[in-house]
C-alpha cells in the first residue's frame, strides 16, 4: 500500500462469541503513513450496516 491510502480491517472473534456481549466483529480504519505503518482506530458508524433498516415513523 502507498502512503495516504485508507484501509479498514474487520476482526472477528474466533469462536463466534460476542465481544462485550454485543458484537462478534470489530472494525478499524486508518491511513498508511510514509513509513508503511498505519494507526488504526475503531471505525464508528451511525448505522448498523449488517442489519436491514426499517422506517417506523408515521
Amino acid at each position: 500500500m502507498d502512503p495516504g491510502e485508507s484501509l479498514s480491517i474487520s476482526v472477528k472473534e474466533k469462536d463466534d462469541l460476542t465481544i462485550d456481549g454485543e458484537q462478534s466483529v470489530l472494525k478499524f480504519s486508518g491511513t498508511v503513513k510514509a513509513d508503511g505503518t498505519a494507526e488504526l482506530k475503531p471505525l464508528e458508524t451511525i448505522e448498523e450496516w449488517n442489519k436491514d433498516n426499517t422506517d417506523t415513523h408515521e
Side-chain angles (χ1 to χ4, degrees):
M1 297 190 86
D2 294 323
E5 284 189 65
S6 296
L7 68 138
S8 62
I9 296 173
S10 296
V11 180
K12 184 175 181 181
E13 204 289 325
K14 73 174 193 159
D15 295 322
D16 287 330
L17 300 174
T18 57
I19 300 166
D20 290 336
E22 296 179 9
Q23 54 191 341
S24 62
V25 178
L26 296 176
K27 295 180 181 180
F28 299 88
S29 65
T31 303
V32 178
K33 298 178 186 179
D35 66 0
T37 64
E39 180 180 350
L40 299 176
K41 296 182 180 183
L43 180 64
E44 296 181 22
T45 59
I46 295 172
E47 292 186 43
E48 193 61 54
W49 293 104
N50 291 328
K51 293 182 181 178
D52 291 334
N53 293 322
T54 57
D55 187 2
T56 57
H57 299 288
E58 294 180 21

